[in-house]
Amino acid sequence: MRIAVCPGSFDPVTNGHIDIFERASKLFDVLIIAVFHNPNKKPLFDMAERVELLTLTTKHIPNIRIDSFSGLLNEYAHQQNANIIVRGLRALSDFEYEFQRALLIKKIDPTLETVFIMTSSEYSFISSSGIKELASFGGCITGLVPKGVEDRIGSRIKKV
């Protein structure tokens, strides 16, 4: 069985993420979308909310499992019996960053492989941080994030 892990903070999940999930799910028997705790970021949504939003927005993809973790990615992957890491790429700058991370993972754990999937061009400019910034200034995020996520961001931003 081919099990892959697609890690990220997904704060919030965007249509670009969904695009990567849909396409990656066709390559593997099980695709685990793993929300990880990144101590360097201040999230808009807590871990449980991100898991909930991912569960709602990926229910149309039958072989996806949503989970969360903190700690080392290689250890998490082994706990899940996965040997593939999926990374989405938007631009060349993403590749440089993700390439270095993939080489580091390979150095500490040669059994793990990293697969890069380019997002569709219509989503190449979308980032979670850009969505949060746009929403915080009252900009329209329709079509950039799933509808349920858009509603949740709208109610969260108003509270801030």
Coordinates of all heavy atoms in Angstrom, one line a residue, residues 6 16 19-28 31 85-90 94 114-120:
C6 N 1.0 14.6 3.4 CA 1.1 15.9 2.9 C 1.0 16.9 4.1 O -0.1 17.1 4.6 CB 0.0 16.2 1.9 SG 0.1 17.8 1.1
G16 N -5.9 26.3 -3.6 CA -4.6 25.7 -4.1 C -4.2 24.4 -3.3 O -3.8 23.4 -4.0
D19 N -6.5 21.6 -4.6 CA -6.0 21.2 -5.9 C -4.9 20.2 -5.8 O -4.9 19.1 -6.4 CB -5.5 22.4 -6.7 CG -4.9 22.1 -8.0 OD1 -5.5 21.4 -8.9 OD2 -3.7 22.4 -8.2
I20 N -3.9 20.5 -4.9 CA -2.8 19.5 -4.7 C -3.4 18.2 -4.1 O -3.0 17.1 -4.5 CB -1.8 20.1 -3.7 CG1 -1.1 21.4 -4.4 CG2 -0.7 19.1 -3.3 CD1 -0.3 21.1 -5.6
F21 N -4.3 18.3 -3.1 CA -4.8 17.1 -2.5 C -5.5 16.2 -3.5 O -5.4 15.0 -3.5 CB -5.8 17.4 -1.3 CG -5.3 18.3 -0.2 CD1 -6.2 19.1 0.5 CD2 -3.9 18.4 0.1 CE1 -5.7 19.9 1.5 CE2 -3.5 19.2 1.1 CZ -4.4 20.0 1.8
E22 N -6.4 16.8 -4.3 CA -7.1 16.1 -5.3 C -6.2 15.3 -6.3 O -6.4 14.2 -6.6 CB -8.1 17.0 -6.1 CG -9.2 17.5 -5.3 CD -10.1 18.6 -6.0 OE1 -9.6 19.2 -7.0 OE2 -11.2 18.8 -5.5
R23 N -5.2 16.0 -6.7 CA -4.3 15.4 -7.7 C -3.4 14.4 -7.0 O -3.1 13.3 -7.6 CB -3.5 16.5 -8.4 CG -4.5 17.3 -9.3 CD -4.0 18.6 -9.9 NE -2.6 18.5 -10.4 CZ -1.7 19.4 -10.2 NH1 -1.9 20.4 -9.4 NH2 -0.5 19.3 -10.7
A24 N -2.9 14.7 -5.8 CA -2.0 13.7 -5.1 C -2.8 12.5 -4.7 O -2.2 11.4 -4.7 CB -1.4 14.4 -3.9
S25 N -4.0 12.6 -4.4 CA -4.8 11.4 -4.0 C -4.9 10.4 -5.1 O -5.2 9.2 -4.8 CB -6.2 11.9 -3.5 OG -7.0 12.3 -4.6
K26 N -4.8 10.8 -6.3 CA -4.8 9.9 -7.5 C -3.5 9.0 -7.6 O -3.5 8.0 -8.3 CB -5.1 10.6 -8.7 CG -6.5 11.3 -8.8 CD -6.6 12.2 -10.0 CE -7.9 12.9 -9.9 NZ -8.1 13.9 -10.9
L27 N -2.5 9.5 -6.9 CA -1.2 8.8 -7.0 C -0.9 7.8 -5.9 O 0.0 7.0 -6.0 CB -0.1 9.9 -7.0 CG -0.1 10.9 -8.1 CD1 1.0 12.0 -7.8 CD2 0.0 10.3 -9.4
F28 N -1.7 7.9 -4.8 CA -1.4 7.1 -3.6 C -2.7 6.4 -3.2 O -3.8 6.8 -3.4 CB -0.8 7.9 -2.5 CG 0.4 8.7 -3.0 CD1 0.3 10.1 -3.2 CD2 1.6 8.1 -3.2 CE1 1.3 10.8 -3.7 CE2 2.7 8.8 -3.6 CZ 2.6 10.2 -3.9
L31 N -3.7 9.2 1.3 CA -3.0 10.4 1.4 C -3.4 11.0 2.8 O -4.6 11.3 3.0 CB -3.4 11.4 0.3 CG -2.8 12.8 0.3 CD1 -1.2 12.7 0.2 CD2 -3.3 13.7 -0.7
I85 N 6.6 11.8 1.2 CA 6.1 13.1 1.6 C 5.7 13.9 0.3 O 6.4 13.9 -0.6 CB 7.3 13.9 2.3 CG1 7.9 13.1 3.4 CG2 6.8 15.3 2.7 CD1 7.0 12.8 4.5
V86 N 4.5 14.5 0.4 CA 4.0 15.3 -0.8 C 4.1 16.8 -0.4 O 3.7 17.2 0.7 CB 2.6 14.9 -1.1 CG1 2.0 15.9 -2.1 CG2 2.4 13.5 -1.5
R87 N 4.7 17.5 -1.3 CA 4.9 19.0 -1.1 C 4.3 19.7 -2.4 O 4.6 19.3 -3.5 CB 6.3 19.4 -1.0 CG 7.1 18.8 0.2 CD 6.7 19.5 1.4 NE 7.6 19.1 2.5 CZ 7.4 19.5 3.7 NH1 6.5 20.4 4.0 NH2 8.3 19.1 4.6
G88 N 3.4 20.7 -2.1 CA 2.9 21.5 -3.2 C 3.8 22.6 -3.5 O 4.4 23.2 -2.6
L89 N 3.9 23.0 -4.7 CA 4.8 24.1 -5.2 C 3.9 25.1 -6.0 O 3.1 24.7 -6.8 CB 5.9 23.6 -6.0 CG 6.9 22.6 -5.4 CD1 7.9 22.1 -6.5 CD2 7.6 23.2 -4.3
R90 N 4.2 26.4 -5.7 CA 3.5 27.4 -6.5 C 4.5 28.1 -7.4 O 4.1 28.5 -8.5 CB 2.9 28.5 -5.5 CG 1.8 28.0 -4.7 CD 1.5 29.0 -3.6 NE 2.7 29.1 -2.8 CZ 2.8 30.0 -1.8 NH1 1.9 30.9 -1.5 NH2 3.9 30.1 -1.1
D94 N 9.2 28.6 -4.0 CA 8.8 27.5 -3.2 C 9.7 26.3 -3.4 O 10.0 25.6 -2.4 CB 7.4 27.0 -3.6 CG 6.3 27.9 -3.0 OD1 6.5 28.8 -2.2 OD2 5.1 27.7 -3.5
T114 N 10.5 12.4 -1.3 CA 9.6 13.6 -1.4 C 9.1 13.7 -2.8 O 10.0 13.6 -3.8 CB 10.4 14.9 -1.0 OG1 10.8 14.7 0.4 CG2 9.5 16.1 -1.1
V115 N 7.9 14.0 -3.0 CA 7.3 14.2 -4.3 C 6.7 15.6 -4.3 O 6.0 16.0 -3.4 CB 6.1 13.2 -4.5 CG1 5.3 13.5 -5.8 CG2 6.6 11.7 -4.6
F116 N 7.1 16.3 -5.4 CA 6.7 17.7 -5.6 C 5.5 17.7 -6.6 O 5.7 17.1 -7.6 CB 7.8 18.6 -6.1 CG 8.9 18.7 -5.1 CD1 10.2 18.2 -5.4 CD2 8.8 19.4 -3.9 CE1 11.2 18.3 -4.5 CE2 9.8 19.5 -3.0 CZ 11.1 19.0 -3.3
I117 N 4.5 18.4 -6.3 CA 3.4 18.6 -7.2 C 3.1 20.1 -7.4 O 2.9 20.8 -6.4 CB 2.1 17.9 -6.7 CG1 2.3 16.4 -6.6 CG2 0.9 18.2 -7.6 CD1 1.1 15.6 -6.0
M118 N 3.2 20.5 -8.6 CA 3.0 21.9 -9.0 C 1.5 22.2 -8.9 O 0.7 21.4 -9.4 CB 3.4 22.3 -10.4 CG 4.9 22.2 -10.6 SD 5.8 23.4 -9.6 CE 5.1 24.9 -10.1
T119 N 1.1 23.3 -8.3 CA -0.3 23.7 -8.2 C -0.7 24.1 -9.7 O 0.1 24.5 -10.5 CB -0.6 24.8 -7.2 OG1 -2.0 25.0 -7.0 CG2 0.0 26.1 -7.7
S120 N -2.0 24.0 -9.9 CA -2.5 24.5 -11.2 C -2.3 26.0 -11.2 O -2.3 26.7 -10.2 CB -4.0 24.3 -11.3 OG -4.3 22.9 -11.3

